[in-house]
Amino acid sequence: MNPLTIIWNFLSNTYHRLGSPREFYTISLYTTPVFGFLFLVLSLFGTYFGLFVAPADYQQGDSFRILFVHVPVAWMSLFVYVVMATAGAIGLIWRMKMAFVVTICSAPIGAAFTALALLTGSIWGKPIWGTYWVWDARLTSELILLFLYFGIMAVYYAFEERKTAEKATALLSVVGVVIVPIIHYSVEWWSSLHQGPTVFAEGGPKMPPEMLLPLAFMAIGFMFFYGYALFLSMQARVLDNERKSRWVKEIVSGKTN
Amino acid sequence: MNWSEFFHMGGYAFEVWTCWGLTLAVLIAFVIYPKRRKAKIRGEILRQISREQLDQENQGS
């Protein structure tokens, strides 16, 4: 067998296994704690290097340390959206049960990251820009993202029948994905008070390694947090959705978690 | 660097600690809430199972 066939078989096997609520639940019991552990280790390293080791910024002093939470949560607000919309598309196209669960469980997490990005940015803006809020492209588009997340959550609860609700939620999240490039390029397309790309800038990051390292730790750590929180929430939802099935009763009444 | 200097954050104590504190609070909430929900649903399923067992025993007698 050539390596491509092996990779393809592995991917399609994983896809089919994760597509079944029971297989997802069993696998997630092992992977969820691993995600939580990796998040804890990475974020503790990031906090240590970000608050103790990194030197104060020559212009912003110690206030720049907000960066180590603001930038990761802002990136996550977009990353979660892309995952949520991709899962929504997979659910609509291939009628995959678990994909809808990913979409529905991602929405509150994404909304929380978006709200945090807006709040931390606002608190940071006061001493540095002299204002909590301006209606400029980056801030306004991020606020629209928050309302989009709220809309997606509201649509799910607006339908009585679960299957209809799942489809409507997935559809809205797929349509709304247009906001992601708008937010990303907002600082280039329109003049903005918000600074332009600093880490993924042309010609490499415009940031010294002492600041880049803790930021990388925090950013990757927050990705694992998303995996951790998503799987916890998905486990609860799968148990709820499948509570009448035999395997759920067996797992709940048995010794397994 | 001593601790009081560290907490002072060069005059930006309020901004820095509010942002880190808010983030920490949200992260904790998103771990506790699904865990509680899962425990609640497990409890409901367990009660349902014992009800079904009781029904079966009553029918048997």
Side-chain angles (χ1 to χ4, degrees), chain A residues 14-68:
Chain A
T14 318
Y15 177 83
H16 286 293
R17 288 191 66 185
L18 287 175
S20 127
R22 181 188 187 164
E23 291 281 351
F24 164 78
Y25 193 87
T26 327
I27 295 170
S28 82
L29 289 178
Y30 298 99
T31 49
T32 311
V34 176
F35 286 165
F37 176 75
L38 287 173
F39 156 69
L40 214 60
V41 171
L42 286 164
S43 66
L44 285 176
F45 267 109
T47 304
Y48 174 71
F49 284 105
L51 291 182
F52 293 93
V53 180
D57 185 71
Y58 81 104
Q59 279 181 324
Q60 303 194 5
D62 282 314
S63 77
F64 98 100
R65 293 182 204 281
I66 293 170
L67 173 126
F68 300 121

Side-chain angles (χ1 to χ4, degrees), chain B residues 1-22:
Chain B
M1 187 178 67
N2 62 39
W3 284 104
S4 79
E5 225 178 287
F6 173 71
F7 287 117
H8 189 247
M9 274 289 153
Y12 293 108
F14 170 75
E15 287 85 356
V16 172
W17 297 121
T18 312
C19 287
W20 281 71
L22 275 173

Side-chain angles (χ1 to χ4, degrees), chain A residues 77-97:
Chain A
S77 73
L78 296 179
F79 180 78
V80 172
Y81 198 95
V82 172
V83 173
M84 184 180 80
T86 310
I90 291 173
L92 288 173
I93 297 167
W94 290 291
R95 295 164 198 279
M96 189 190 189
K97 236 184 194 177

Side-chain angles (χ1 to χ4, degrees), chain A residues 154-173:
Chain A
V155 161
Y156 181 72
Y157 291 106
F159 289 92
E160 199 99 354
E161 219 263 317
R162 200 179 83 216
K163 289 207 167 112
T164 324
E166 285 177 343
K167 277 184 197 159
T169 311
L171 196 62
L172 181 58
S173 65

Side-chain angles (χ1 to χ4, degrees), chain A residues 25 39 47 51-52 60 62-63 65-66 108 112 120 123 127 225 228 235-236 240 243 248-249 252 257, chain B residues 6 9-10 12 15-16 18-20 22-23 26-27 30-31 34-35 37-38 41-42 44-46 49 52:
Chain A
Y25 193 87
F39 156 69
T47 304
L51 291 182
F52 293 93
Q60 303 194 5
D62 282 314
S63 77
R65 293 182 204 281
I66 293 170
T120 55
I123 294 166
F225 178 83
Y228 180 59
Q235 285 175 355
D240 198 358
R243 60 168 75 208
V248 166
K249 287 177 183 166
V252 170
N257 196 17
Chain B
F6 173 71
M9 274 289 153
Y12 293 108
E15 287 85 356
V16 172
T18 312
C19 287
W20 281 71
L22 275 173
T23 308
V26 168
L27 296 188
F30 272 85
V31 174
K35 283 196 173 185
R37 181 150 181 257
K38 194 179 157 190
I41 294 164
R42 280 170 57 92
E44 285 168 10
I45 295 168
L46 276 175
I49 293 170
E52 281 167 10

